[in-house]
Amino acid sequence: MTMTKDEVFAKVREVLEEALGVDEDEVTPQATLGGDLGAESIDYLDIVFRLEKAFGIKISQAELMADNVLSDPQYVQDGKVTDLGMSELRKQLPHADLDAFDASRQVDEFPNIFTVESMVKFVQGKL
Amino acid sequence: MRWIWIDRILELERGRRCVTIKNVSAAEDVLHDHFPATDNRPAMPVMPNPLIIEGMAQTAGIMVGHAGDFKEKVILAKITKAVFTDAARPGYTIRHTAEMDNFSKAGASTHGKTELIDPNTGEAKPLAEITLMFSHIDHNMAGLEFPEHNFVFTGQLMEMLEASGFQSPG
């Protein structure tokens, strides 16, 4: 049975509440995992494990976050993502809104592209 | 030197479960600082809860390491939950039972129960529930590099594995 977007959101919200110890009302669609909800690197692995269990899907951290791109010198130079890197990120992360990030391309701002909404879109794409 | 907060491994099932014990002794200095007598009450020596969590982390960490043939550097990365319902006093035995929830190239998540075994009756009662996350740090997201040799599974932990009757990778 296909889940509605609201049903997916409700489950994603529950996952984020448990993984990050945040309150229900903090988990809005626009909230960023790193900036607003305080996720650190290990939390993303926790979120992956919990999403897999909650939705019965298999997720690699690379397909959710494209972390392989940022560790590749051909895609990052002087702390900024290159044109080639942006193109690769857009290919690998159709669930994320990269427009705001494209303006600065600063690697340390990368975690802010992951919003609750992007998690919902990612899961919907896997179901 | 490394603090070891488990005394013996009782069970080790690959990728599934690890059970250890720790005997709480009045000879351990840390108990006398936690908590010393005050003007208002006598001394109350109990095992500090962070050290009990460390014991569970060592128990679960051995299970995670064993699941990867001790090739990965397994580091405690997150205490997801630690809820204590009692205190561990000298003479009691602490028993940690860790179970694997998830295991991947990047790391693992575990949950476990910690019990107190009564020295008079031998009965076990709940002490804590502890949920942990471990990172395989050579696969960290930041791309940081660490020494090549496995500095986690060396020395005392591996000696304990052998002393408990399990084969160490070395």
Side-chain angles (χ1 to χ4, degrees), chain B:
Chain B
M1 185 200 150
R2 174 176 185 149
W3 271 5
I4 297 292
W5 291 102
I6 51 179
D7 290 338
R8 188 171 177 83
I9 301 164
L10 300 183
E11 295 176 37
L12 180 57
E13 279 182 60
R14 187 181 176 83
R16 208 180 86 73
R17 170 184 156 93
C18 183
V19 182
T20 64
I21 53 166
K22 158 74 185 155
N23 294 309
V24 182
S25 168
E28 287 168 316
D29 285 344
V30 67
L31 270 67
H32 300 289
D33 293 329
H34 189 272
F35 300 92
T38 69
D39 291 341
N40 304 320
R41 60 158 175 75
M44 191 173 66
V46 296
M47 174 74 75
N49 289 350
L51 298 182
I52 295 172
I53 295 172
E54 174 62 22
M56 174 58 90
Q58 291 174 1
T59 304
I62 287 170
M63 172 178 69
V64 174
H66 184 243
D69 294 323
F70 295 109
K71 287 177 181 159
E72 297 288 350
K73 302 176 187 96
V74 177
I75 295 293
L76 175 64
K78 176 175 170 180
I79 301 166
T80 311
K81 183 179 94 170
V83 177
F84 285 79
T85 51
D86 208 334
R89 288 171 289 277
Y92 281 75
T93 296
I94 293 171
R95 181 168 64 200
H96 298 291
T97 301
E99 294 188 351
M100 191 84 82
D101 288 329
N102 294 282
F103 181 89
S104 76
K105 184 180 166 188
S109 63
T110 69
H111 74 275
K113 63 178 179 183
T114 298
E115 297 162 297
L116 274 178
I117 300 174
D118 190 304
N120 294 314
T121 65
E123 287 178 6
K125 57 179 179 175
L127 173 60
E129 288 185 10
I130 302 171
T131 306
L132 304 172
M133 291 283 306
F134 293 87
S135 173
H136 290 149
I137 55 167
D138 287 337
H139 305 285
N140 69 87
M141 286 172 58
L144 299 173
E145 291 188 13
F146 292 88
E148 205 168 300
H149 74 282
N150 195 327
F151 51 84
V152 179
F153 295 111
T154 182
Q156 287 167 304
L157 277 181
M158 291 299 94
E159 285 163 18
M160 180 184 301
L161 197 69
E162 284 190 6
S164 300
F166 300 95
Q167 198 173 0
S168 82

Side-chain angles (χ1 to χ4, degrees), chain A residues 18-20 41-47 49-50 52-53 58 61 65 67 70-71, chain B residues 77-78 80 101-104 106-109 131 133-135 139-143:
Chain A
E18 288 173 4
L20 304 176
S41 59
I42 192 65
D43 293 319
Y44 293 101
L45 181 60
D46 195 1
I47 290 165
F49 285 156
R50 288 173 190 272
E52 285 183 333
K53 189 174 175 187
K58 207 67 198 149
Q61 204 160 321
M65 311 197 60
D67 46 344
L70 297 192
S71 58
Chain B
K78 176 175 170 180
T80 311
D101 288 329
N102 294 282
F103 181 89
S104 76
S109 63
T131 306
M133 291 283 306
F134 293 87
S135 173
H139 305 285
N140 69 87
M141 286 172 58

